[in-house]
Amino acid sequence: MENERPLFIPVLLGTPRQGRASEHVANFVIEEVRKRAGVETELIDVRSLPLSTTDAGENIKIPSFSAAMDRADAMIIVTPEYNHGYPGMLKHALDTNLKEYIHKAVGICGVSASGFGGARVIENLLPVMRELGMVTIFTDGNFSNVQQLFDENGVLQDNSYVQNMDKFLHELIWMAKTLRYGRDNITL
Ligand SMILES: Cc1cc2nc3c(=O)[nH]c(=O)nc-3n(C[C@H](O)[C@H](O)[C@H](O)COP(=O)(O)O)c2cc1C
């Protein structure tokens, strides 16, 4: 049956900063996604994307990134909070695609040095997701006090995040399956 095709849910790491703590979060999220049967994933790191600054939007498409977004049923964005907003590089990367995102699910994991778990960057990304045609879920990943949350080897120090991620992925997978059904079966 068509619906038994594995879902593809890549994780987009949204900052290129040297020493970024968000990388630990992205690695943790990928590990949790990999535990799910019937889901394939890969890390897409904005640091590795050959992003041009000669233009913006679809004029500077990166074929491998566009192909991954085209194949994706959903995306997880891991983004730090920078002055309550999202990194410019994340937005520059997101802007390179458009039709690839339409009617796909998206979940956002905010990362912050403070106790707010990136709540403000998540709120600021939501209207962008809507404009890209993606469907947001009502469960977020909120990674607070991230400098204490992982040890120097990137090992998570608070297991309550495993349970939170389980809830987040449950919701994201439900939405991804629902939207795949809609894309495949519903024409108006
Ligand atoms: C330019 C800049 C702005 C920042 N603004 C915020 C902020 O508004 N709120 C916050 O909680 N942390 C802020 N931080 C701290 C980040 O949350 C912190 O660096 C955290 O580790 C996540 O970002 P990282 O992946 O770059 O490490 C800021 C960091 C930078 C570099």
Side-chain angles (χ1 to χ4, degrees), residues 6-170:
L7 293 170
F8 179 51
I9 307 183
V11 175
L12 179 61
L13 170 55
T15 175
R17 193 179 76 77
Q18 289 292 327
R20 56 196 177 178
S22 298
E23 187 172 337
H24 296 323
V25 175
N27 289 335
F28 164 68
V29 170
I30 285 253
E31 267 176 40
E32 294 308 301
V33 178
R34 289 204 169 115
K35 289 181 187 167
R36 297 278 174 155
V39 181
E40 294 176 355
T41 188
E42 70 182 36
L43 181 69
I44 301 174
D45 184 345
V46 291
R47 187 193 279 171
S48 307
L49 292 177
L51 277 166
S52 170
T53 53
T54 58
D55 203 334
E58 296 200 277
N59 287 341
I60 56 163
K61 260 186 188 308
I62 299 160
S64 59
F65 181 41
S66 296
M69 291 298 110
D70 198 43
R71 182 184 158 213
D73 296 287
M75 170 166 58
I76 298 171
I77 298 177
V78 174
T79 179
E81 179 170 297
Y82 290 164
N83 295 320
H84 296 193
Y86 38 80
M89 191 82 95
L90 171 61
K91 181 66 162 50
H92 198 49
L94 286 169
D95 287 346
T96 60
N97 296 307
L98 203 50
K99 68 176 190 315
E100 292 85 348
Y101 300 125
I102 293 176
H103 299 159
K104 311 271 180 87
V106 62
I108 307 174
C109 296
V111 185
S112 137
S114 76
F116 297 111
R120 295 162 297 206
V121 63
I122 293 171
E123 291 295 314
N124 283 321
L125 256 185
L126 293 179
V128 177
M129 299 296 102
R130 179 173 182 267
E131 182 59 16
L132 294 177
M134 301 200 89
V135 179
T136 57
I137 56 171
F138 72 108
T139 308
D140 304 317
N142 294 111
F143 293 81
S144 295
N145 306 309
V146 70
Q147 273 70 24
Q148 288 78 49
L149 191 56
F150 295 89
D151 71 11
E152 63 280 6
N153 299 315
V155 177
L156 184 71
Q157 302 297 297
D158 179 349
N159 278 329
S160 68
Y161 280 82
V162 174
Q163 208 179 338
N164 294 347
M165 196 43 51
D166 190 57
K167 199 171 151 211
F168 171 92
L169 289 176
H170 184 83

Side-chain angles (χ1 to χ4, degrees), residues 182-188:
R183 290 194 308 277
D184 289 351
N185 295 287
I186 298 180
T187 48
L188 295 176

